[in-house]
Amino acid sequence: QVQLVESGGGVVQPGGSLRLSCTASGFTFSTSAMHWVRQAPGKGLEWVAITSYDGNNEFYADSVKGRFAISRDNSQNTLYLQMNSLRAEDTAVYYCAKEHPGSTGALDYWGQGTLVTVSS
Amino acid sequence: AIQMTQSPSSLSASVGDRVTITCRASQGIRNDLDWYQQKPGKAPKLLIYAAANLQSGVPSRFSGSGSGTDFTLTISSLQPEDFATYYCLQDHNYPFTFGPGTKVDIK
């Protein structure tokens, strides 16, 4: 069965950096586009970034562009999110999600999420 | 970026009720619209993709319709496990954008 397991969350000071990981299993990771979505405490969902199946294309939300970088290692079935220059408003649960094979953009499986807290 | 609105922001309903949630895009997005259900403390779950396609394993009481700018999620007969928050997502253009959500609770 499809499994996505995020890790790397924690508490970081404003201006700091953190790298999230998402380990995938149960599907062909190397042929799936992958996304990050976040949810601030008590708030709605916010799409963050996508990487194409081969890592050659990526897009970002305006709120994280230039600060966050999505990447992947298909040999390790792992997705990453490098987060730099973190701000208080980046505090959220971060989910990784795989793209539906039959519908570009639809997110058919999600991880359980990892909490990032930006605070001094 | 394409802006998504949802109405209502919340609703109270009873088991067995027919429930309709609306999502509107700030510009035409063809049928590039998905619906998600989220329960407290859990990851979102895909219900409907490409506006009207039922995701595998999702009960048939859920249905979606619409194209262009106006979309609807309908629950034909609300069940106890359906009390949750529902989000639409446009995947027509980057950056993708979610609607603000509709919370469905028990009347």
Side-chain angles (χ1 to χ4, degrees):
Chain A
Q1 71 282 19
V2 172
Q3 277 201 307
L4 297 169
V5 180
E6 301 95 338
S7 60
V11 180
V12 60
Q13 292 189 338
S17 298
L18 209 57
R19 188 176 83 157
L20 306 182
S21 300
C22 169
T23 302
S25 60
F27 66 102
T28 307
F29 181 75
S30 61
T31 63
S32 295
M34 296 294 296
H35 299 246
W36 288 98
V37 174
R38 69 183 180 182
Q39 186 168 36
K43 302 298 185 182
L45 300 170
E46 180 184 17
W47 180 84
V48 173
I50 178 183
T51 177
S52 60
Y53 71 98
D54 57 3
N56 286 340
N57 292 285
E58 54 203 58
F59 294 92
Y60 298 91
D62 292 344
S63 58
V64 307
K65 199 176 298 181
R67 300 187 300 122
F68 289 13
I70 189 172
S71 62
R72 63 192 298 158
D73 183 342
N74 284 346
S75 69
Q76 299 293 318
N77 285 359
T78 303
L79 174 73
Y80 301 101
L81 185 68
Q82 177 67 43
M83 303 185 296
N84 299 327
S85 302
L86 283 161
R87 306 165 179 167
E89 53 265 36
D90 295 319
T91 294
V93 173
Y94 284 74
Y95 298 100
C96 65
K98 71 172 281 292
E99 196 161 279
H100 193 295
S103 180
T104 301
L107 307 177
D108 61 351
Y109 287 93
W110 298 59
Q112 84 288 351
T114 188
L115 176 62
V116 172
T117 303
V118 184
S119 173
S120 54
Chain B
I2 297 173
Q3 306 300 315
M4 306 300 293
T5 57
Q6 283 183 238
S7 60
S9 56
S10 65
L11 65 91
S12 296
S14 300
V15 172
D17 284 353
R18 182 181 182 87
V19 169
T20 299
I21 299 169
T22 297
C23 181
R24 176 165 289 174
S26 60
Q27 65 187 70
I29 59 171
R30 298 185 307 195
N31 68 336
D32 298 329
L33 189 285
D34 315 307
W35 290 97
Y36 297 83
Q37 176 193 68
Q38 188 180 33
K39 296 180 180 179
K42 300 294 187 182
K45 173 187 175 183
L46 177 64
L47 300 176
I48 302 286
Y49 64 93
N53 294 276
L54 192 67
Q55 171 65 355
S56 175
V58 173
S60 59
R61 62 181 179 273
F62 290 93
S63 63
S65 64
S67 68
T69 59
D70 294 313
F71 302 85
T72 299
L73 173 70
T74 300
I75 309 172
S76 60
S77 177
L78 197 67
Q79 298 302 299
E81 59 268 31
D82 301 337
F83 291 97
T85 301
Y86 294 84
Y87 295 92
C88 59
L89 169 68
Q90 71 80 15
D91 55 32
H92 181 71
N93 277 349
Y94 298 116
F96 290 175
T97 42
F98 285 93
T102 296
K103 185 176 181 180
V104 177
D105 61 23
I106 302 171
K107 182 185 285 185

